[in-house]
Every structure is written in C-alpha cells, then in structure tokens.
Amino acid sequence: MIVLASQSASRRALLEAAKIEFEALSPGVDEEAAKEALRADGLDARALADALAELKALKVSRRVPGGLVLGCDQTLSLDDGSMIDKAVDRADAARILRLLSGRVHHLHSAAVIVLNSEPIWRHVERVRMTVRPLSDAFIDAYLESDWEECRWCVGCYRIEGPGAQLFSKVEGSQFAIQGLPLLPLLDFLRVRGVLAA
C-alpha cells in the first residue's frame, strides 16, 4: 500500500482504476507560497513540478513513518518558458483559455516517492498539447458546462471530460495529463515488490 499526498479526485481515480491500494492524506501545503518561493529561486516549470511533488510527499512522510508516500504536482508552460497557474476565478479561466487558444503548451507531471522523509524515486513526464483556435462563444459555453470541475485544473481543462474538445493534438500520456505519470510509477512499484511482477 502507498500513501497519496493529495486529495485530487483525478489522481485517486487513476490509482483506483489501476487497482493500487492506497490511502489519501492532504499534505497541508500552502501551494501558492511554496510556488512563489521556488520561482524566486529561478526554477523552470519542470523543476517546479518536481520540487512541489517532493514537498508534498515530505510533509506527509513525517506523519507516516515507514510508508511509501507519493507526492504529485503539475505545471503548465508555454513555448517561451512562461508558466500559467490555476485560474483564480471564472473570468481568469476565460483569459487563460484565450491565451492558450491556437498555441502549443507543455504539461509537466511530476511524481516523487518518499520513504522516512527521504526521496527514493522521482519521475517528471512532459506532454505537448496543441490547443485548437477557440472562439469566445465556445469558451463561454465550455466554462458554463464544466467550470465546477475544471476550475481545479491547471490550464482549466479536464482531458477526461469536455476539456478534450479544446485540443487538435496531444503528444504524450493521457495519465500524465490527468496529473500522474502512471506507467513509470507502476514500474517502480513492481520493482519495489509492492505490485506483482
């Protein structure tokens, strides 16, 4: 069994579907403050996702000695290296979707396993996402139908829901888009003996 340092419904669903036994605990991390501090250190999107995943796993690991704790995080960057955060409200979500419209962006999905407050495994997967040109009418209708779900997602979309309609091309793992590099994680858990080989 592993401990998921997250309350993310998407990550829980991925682990449940893969038949991995886990317990989910909130890491209690002030993500915005942590992001601000890490960005001040000059971390790019990939390194930021990795550092936040590790931070979450470390926080929970202190509460579960001897447990394998999985921390995850996801960041979004444009081709120029600039990063986009989760929307603060619906108007901000519309702004983000207009910014992504007709452009390529990258999702960086990080996972870190910590045992007794020491990272023992990590993986960051990058997915290249091409958003089709989006009309204002589409954006409004999309947010009207899915706002309560997509508001928690970086980029304001759930690929497993209506958010699939935003894209003309996706290069990479759908698991990573949903917030977890699942296949590398499964491989680690098999090597570790948590899952049958």
Side-chain angles (χ1 to χ4, degrees), residues 141-151 156-158 161-163:
Y142 166 70
L143 290 174
E144 179 68 29
S145 73
D146 205 45
W147 170 242
E148 288 307 319
E149 299 296 331
C150 73
R151 69 185 303 170
C156 306
Y157 55 81
R158 293 179 310 124

Side-chain angles (χ1 to χ4, degrees), residues 121-136:
W121 176 85
R122 62 191 341 115
H123 185 84
V124 181
E125 197 161 331
R126 187 179 87 155
V127 182
R128 188 174 195 268
M129 316 276 293
T130 303
V131 178
R132 66 179 181 81
L134 307 173
S135 68
D136 285 342

Side-chain angles (χ1 to χ4, degrees), residues 19-31:
K19 303 294 185 202
I20 298 173
E21 289 186 31
F22 71 96
E23 175 185 3
L25 296 176
S26 174
V29 170
D30 182 342
E31 283 194 51

Side-chain angles (χ1 to χ4, degrees), residues 61-82:
S61 182
R62 294 184 189 114
R63 299 182 345 229
V64 287
L68 288 176
V69 180
L70 170 63
C72 305
D73 203 83
Q74 195 174 51
T75 58
L76 186 156
S77 64
L78 299 174
D79 275 344
D80 63 6
S82 61

Side-chain angles (χ1 to χ4, degrees), residues 6-196:
S6 172
Q7 291 298 312
S8 161
S10 177
R11 291 183 184 111
R12 289 197 316 263
L14 287 172
L15 293 175
E16 286 167 1
K19 303 294 185 202
I20 298 173
E21 289 186 31
F22 71 96
E23 175 185 3
L25 296 176
S26 174
V29 170
D30 182 342
E31 283 194 51
E32 292 314 308
K35 272 186 193 176
E36 193 174 315
L38 291 165
R39 281 183 175 159
D41 288 341
L43 270 63
D44 64 9
R46 184 189 187 286
L48 180 63
D50 182 60
L52 288 168
E54 181 177 315
L55 176 64
K56 292 172 185 177
L58 285 169
K59 288 278 279 189
V60 170
S61 182
R62 294 184 189 114
R63 299 182 345 229
V64 287
L68 288 176
V69 180
L70 170 63
C72 305
D73 203 83
Q74 195 174 51
T75 58
L76 186 156
S77 64
L78 299 174
D79 275 344
D80 63 6
S82 61
M83 287 183 258
I84 294 177
D85 291 322
K86 292 176 184 173
V88 295
D89 56 28
R90 194 161 149 179
D92 191 39
R95 177 194 65 80
I96 289 169
L97 291 171
R98 284 194 297 273
L99 181 63
L100 296 178
S101 176
R103 297 179 70 177
V104 170
H105 67 268
H106 302 275
L107 280 181
H108 307 269
S109 184
V112 176
I113 298 266
V114 168
L115 174 63
N116 295 324
S117 297
E118 289 293 329
I120 61 169
W121 176 85
R122 62 191 341 115
H123 185 84
V124 181
E125 197 161 331
R126 187 179 87 155
V127 182
R128 188 174 195 268
M129 316 276 293
T130 303
V131 178
R132 66 179 181 81
L134 307 173
S135 68
D136 285 342
F138 172 84
I139 290 171
D140 289 343
Y142 166 70
L143 290 174
E144 179 68 29
S145 73
D146 205 45
W147 170 242
E148 288 307 319
E149 299 296 331
C150 73
R151 69 185 303 170
W152 312 109
C153 305
V154 66
C156 306
Y157 55 81
R158 293 179 310 124
I159 196 78
E160 67 274 27
Q165 293 188 38
L166 275 63
F167 299 97
S168 60
K169 189 173 186 182
V170 171
E171 298 165 78
S173 162
Q174 181 159 330
F175 300 129
I177 299 168
Q178 291 175 253
L180 181 63
L182 184 62
L183 299 182
L185 172 65
L186 294 175
D187 187 52
F188 168 78
L189 294 175
R190 282 190 296 271
V191 169
R192 187 84 189 181
V194 175
L195 298 177

